[in-house]
Amino acid sequence: MTTSFFSRGLRPIRASRALWGATLAALLLAGCSTGTGYYTGDVVGGPDTTAREDASRGGHDPLIDAPYRAETSCASEKPVTVLQRIKEVPFACADLGVSATIDEIRDAGWRIVSLDIGEDSESDNHVGFPVTIVVRKLF
């Protein structure tokens, strides 16, 4: 005694709706899983132009070669706004003579001791804040 699909009480319309719903769910999940998995604006595979300039001066990198427990202040080169993440903003470290992002500073062994957000200013209909960080070399 075999029972057919339709004899179980499911109508063809309900079965097609269920199949359509499952297909739609699978497509949505597949669409969410596509992508690079990382932020493509990051420098991947090597140093950016500021580190290359340091390398052209005899392999000297002030961020890496600084003595342990050294402390310096770095100011954002442009105001931080909603248009750009803070990790993308370059910071000028006058004592070291370098300009680097927070990620590059961190990767060179520095850690943020304090962060100061300055007076807001408006440009291009967006409010921006100058940011100053004090960093210390840990390793």
Side-chain angles (χ1 to χ4, degrees):
M1 179 164 162
T2 60
T3 58
S4 71
F5 181 73
F6 299 111
S7 66
R8 290 187 205 158
L10 293 177
R11 296 183 184 156
I13 295 173
R14 285 189 184 176
S16 66
R17 284 184 186 170
L19 183 60
W20 172 250
T23 304
L24 183 61
L27 289 173
L28 285 174
L29 288 175
C32 292
S33 66
T34 59
T36 57
Y38 58 88
Y39 176 66
T40 57
D42 290 342
V43 177
V44 177
D48 70 344
T49 56
T50 57
R52 288 188 197 115
E53 291 172 10
D54 291 337
S56 67
R57 294 185 290 181
H60 176 70
D61 186 355
L63 284 173
I64 294 176
D65 296 338
Y68 297 116
R69 296 191 177 108
E71 196 169 281
T72 188
S73 176
C74 305
S76 61
E77 293 183 354
K78 54 186 171 182
V80 177
T81 67
V82 296
L83 300 176
Q84 193 173 26
R85 298 187 302 180
I86 193 164
K87 70 183 278 182
E88 298 169 343
V89 174
F91 285 83
C93 304
D95 295 348
L96 299 174
V98 297
S99 175
T101 64
I102 288 179
D103 286 345
E104 293 168 336
I105 293 169
R106 187 193 69 229
D107 290 346
W110 296 80
R111 294 299 180 260
I112 295 176
V113 175
S114 68
L115 184 134
D116 180 42
I117 299 174
E119 189 71 28
D120 62 296
S121 62
E122 187 173 337
S123 64
D124 298 330
N125 294 328
H126 294 283
V127 176
F129 300 91
V131 176
T132 304
I133 57 173
V134 175
V135 292
R136 181 177 294 141
K137 176 80 170 181
L138 293 184
F139 60 89

